[in-house]
Amino acid sequence: MHGLTKKAEAPPWAPFEDRRRARDEKRDAVLRMAVQMFLDEGYHRTTLNEVAARLNITKPALYNYFRSKEDILIECYRLGQDMFEANIAAIERESGDGLDKLRRLIRAYAQVMMTDFGMCLVRLDDRELSTEARAGVRKAKRTYDAAFRTAIAQGVADGSIAPRDPKLATLVITGSLNWIGQWYRPDGELSAAALADEFALRLTEGLAARKSRSRNAERGAR
Amino acid sequence: MHGLTKKAEAPPWAPFEDRRRARDEKRDAVLRMAVQMFLDEGYHRTTLNEVAARLNITKPALYNYFRSKEDILIECYRLGQDMFEANIAAIERESGDGLDKLRRLIRAYAQVMMTDFGMCLVRLDDRELSTEARAGVRKAKRTYDAAFRTAIAQGVADGSIAPRDPKLATLVITGSLNWIGQWYRPDGELSAAALADEFALRLTEGLAARKSRSRNAERGAR
DNA sequence: TTCATATATTACCCATTGGTCATAAAATGT
DNA sequence: ACATTTTATGACCAATGGGTAATATATGAA
């Protein structure tokens, strides 16, 4: 019996890993509490003392996980951005005509907008952020807009969407979607999925290109 | 020559009136400056010192015209509300089917949303207000929503709009309109009127009831 | 001129709040 | 048991900004 391997099962990093995980969990708890309070009361009316109190700790303890109040806000934005980006990127990879893609974009975007971190991006004022952080957030927002614009442009090109200015059409659609973050409450009558479907339906019911004989002939001809 | 009426033309109240007008003009100037700064920088990041400085006065001078910072904010909301109410009430008085009325509502609402005081209602956080003031603002907002809902319900009833839930349809439409306040800049390519027309077109192009033979027969039959 | 009123200023108060520091208390490793 | 690191705390600092009081200045009336 070598003294070396008395109980070789548990890897020696386990405690470290445990600790790191416990730390991350606490960090996440701070973030979840903070985002809720930011959304409920507004960023600047939410004090770090209150956030800490609701977590049964005191303010300086927060500084073990975040460097500043703005740092907390930045992380909220980042979590929201990650959700949008993951969903949008997945849809852009899929196949389908422009109209289909647009419908999927609407559904996905609407659903993310009904989550706490998702609505961060439209409910919280990014002017609270430093110039650099704000630039990052705005750049991210522009990429989401671009996804809608290209889907619409593609739809107009492939004949699935009746001709229109993709930029204006995007303003109409994303406005409606962004505003969801202002009124959605999880305790409403309709589920998030049902609402997302409704928005996908209503925001595209006027877009489909008429399947006129001439257009069909045109498409069949090439 | 009576000493009494040496120059009887100018009414004796003129100076008073002049003074009152001058006062009102200054008050309005404060309001216009304040609303711009509130929109530019956000309410709580706009200090009364800065507002005063931009008007070439000092902070305490503002207190000749307003009782508090919140009082200024309340007046901004009120001016915006007045614009919405005047427009909406006028349209509700007009005749036309539900779809027509909805289109006119959209155009009018969009145009007010492109003014400083109009966008107040969606860009500024009414949680800055006292409970009573906030209740007033929210009540006003609900009446605008109600105008859209009734127009849509009327349209569904009179056959000009294809059947749908008026409440959800209103959320879709007013969301798009409210979001205008977040991106509109008066120096854009399109005029406010052109944008309003575009929104009226795009937000209703999918609503019109199909004029199917059976429906026409139905309508003709009663 | 003189008085009254409206309007403006300077200087100040004070409540709030993000953030820091020295230190204590747990938790972890040996 | 002991040493070390992590995590938490109480006390405090400093800046910000809304609001006020005492006072000065301009304006119109008598």
Side-chain angles (χ1 to χ4, degrees):
Chain A
M1 234 210 266
H2 286 189
L4 250 179
T5 50
K6 205 167 144 200
K7 264 199 173 178
E9 287 317 302
W13 317 281
F16 284 164
E17 280 297 312
D18 276 2
R19 237 164 127 126
R20 207 173 60 77
R21 204 186 49 215
R23 185 187 169 80
D24 286 355
E25 272 167 17
K26 288 185 194 168
R27 205 185 120 104
D28 281 359
V30 173
L31 242 25
R32 282 197 308 274
M33 180 61 75
V35 74
Q36 273 179 26
M37 296 178 72
F38 289 167
L39 291 171
D40 267 11
E41 288 297 315
Y43 175 74
H44 99 271
R45 279 182 303 281
T46 303
T47 71
L48 292 186
N49 271 322
E50 284 167 2
V51 174
R54 295 259 291 255
L55 292 163
N56 296 317
I57 55 176
T58 57
K59 178 173 59 174
L62 294 176
Y63 284 82
N64 278 318
Y65 307 100
F66 300 94
R67 283 200 306 278
S68 66
K69 191 183 183 188
E70 190 197 328
D71 194 27
I72 297 178
L73 182 60
I74 290 175
E75 287 301 286
C76 290
Y77 273 106
R78 218 180 47 75
L79 289 175
Q81 285 173 35
D82 288 349
M83 296 175 77
F84 280 111
E85 260 149 46
N87 277 282
I88 290 175
I91 290 166
E92 280 179 326
R93 262 183 266 111
E94 294 169 13
S95 61
D97 63 23
L99 182 56
D100 278 344
K101 219 173 253 185
L102 176 61
R103 287 206 182 101
R104 284 199 293 267
L105 275 176
I106 292 174
R107 257 195 299 272
Y109 193 95
Q111 291 205 59
V112 175
M113 191 57 71
M114 296 181 213
T115 68
D116 281 349
F117 291 110
M119 57 180 72
C120 264
L121 272 73
V122 297
R123 285 264 291 274
L124 303 182
D125 191 344
D126 61 18
R127 287 170 301 193
E128 304 277 358
L129 297 171
S130 69
T131 318
E132 309 85 53
R134 186 169 61 242
V137 170
R138 298 205 169 167
K139 183 180 173 185
K141 288 180 180 173
R142 276 197 302 276
T143 67
Y144 313 150
D145 247 49
F148 282 90
R149 268 212 301 279
T150 51
I152 292 171
Q154 182 194 328
V156 171
D158 68 25
S160 57
I161 296 178
R164 71 215 320 109
D165 177 15
K167 200 170 157 189
L168 281 173
T170 297
L171 283 174
V172 172
I173 291 172
T174 59
S176 191
L177 295 175
N178 285 332
W179 196 254
I180 291 174
Q182 301 288 341
W183 54 261
Y184 174 75
R185 297 290 172 274
D187 53 321
E189 292 182 10
L190 274 68
S191 70
L195 278 169
D197 283 344
E198 176 78 11
F199 271 74
L201 170 64
R202 296 308 176 194
L203 288 171
T204 59
E205 67 184 345
L207 273 69
R210 310 262 177 283
K211 289 191 182 136
S212 69
R213 203 158 295 141
S214 65
R215 183 176 298 275
N216 281 338
E218 216 179 278
R219 292 176 74 193
R222 48 171 166 150
Chain B
M1 233 205 264
H2 286 189
L4 251 180
T5 51
K6 206 168 145 198
K7 263 199 173 178
E9 287 318 301
W13 315 280
F16 284 163
E17 281 297 312
D18 277 3
R19 239 166 126 124
R20 208 174 59 78
R21 204 186 48 215
R23 185 188 169 79
D24 286 353
E25 274 167 15
K26 287 184 193 168
R27 205 184 121 102
D28 281 0
V30 173
L31 241 26
R32 282 196 307 275
M33 180 61 76
V35 75
Q36 274 179 28
M37 295 177 72
F38 289 166
L39 292 171
D40 268 11
E41 289 296 317
Y43 175 74
H44 101 270
R45 278 181 304 281
T46 303
T47 71
L48 292 186
N49 271 323
E50 283 167 3
V51 174
R54 293 262 290 259
L55 292 162
N56 297 319
I57 55 176
T58 57
K59 177 174 61 173
L62 294 176
Y63 285 81
N64 279 318
Y65 306 101
F66 301 93
R67 282 200 306 277
S68 65
K69 190 184 183 187
E70 189 196 328
D71 194 27
I72 297 179
L73 182 60
I74 290 175
E75 287 300 287
C76 290
Y77 273 106
R78 219 180 47 75
L79 289 175
Q81 285 173 36
D82 288 349
M83 295 176 78
F84 280 109
E85 260 149 45
N87 277 282
I88 289 175
I91 290 166
E92 279 179 327
R93 262 182 266 109
E94 295 169 15
S95 61
D97 64 23
L99 182 55
D100 279 344
K101 219 174 253 184
L102 176 61
R103 289 207 182 100
R104 283 199 295 267
L105 275 177
I106 291 175
R107 257 195 299 271
Y109 194 94
Q111 291 205 59
V112 175
M113 192 57 71
M114 296 180 212
T115 67
D116 281 349
F117 291 109
M119 58 181 73
C120 264
L121 272 74
V122 297
R123 286 264 291 275
L124 303 182
D125 190 344
D126 60 18
R127 287 171 300 193
E128 304 278 358
L129 297 171
S130 68
T131 317
E132 310 84 52
R134 186 169 60 240
V137 169
R138 299 204 172 167
K139 183 179 173 183
K141 287 180 182 173
R142 276 197 302 276
T143 67
Y144 314 150
D145 247 48
F148 282 90
R149 269 212 299 280
T150 52
I152 292 170
Q154 182 194 328
V156 171
D158 68 25
S160 57
I161 295 177
R164 70 215 320 108
D165 177 13
K167 201 170 155 190
L168 282 173
T170 298
L171 283 175
V172 172
I173 292 172
T174 59
S176 191
L177 295 175
N178 285 330
W179 196 255
I180 291 174
Q182 303 286 342
W183 54 262
Y184 175 76
R185 297 289 173 274
D187 53 320
E189 292 182 9
L190 274 68
S191 70
L195 277 169
D197 283 344
E198 177 78 10
F199 271 75
L201 170 64
R202 297 307 176 194
L203 287 172
T204 60
E205 66 185 344
L207 273 69
R210 310 262 176 283
K211 288 192 182 135
S212 70
R213 204 158 295 141
S214 63
R215 184 176 298 277
N216 280 338
E218 217 178 280
R219 292 176 73 193
R222 48 171 167 151

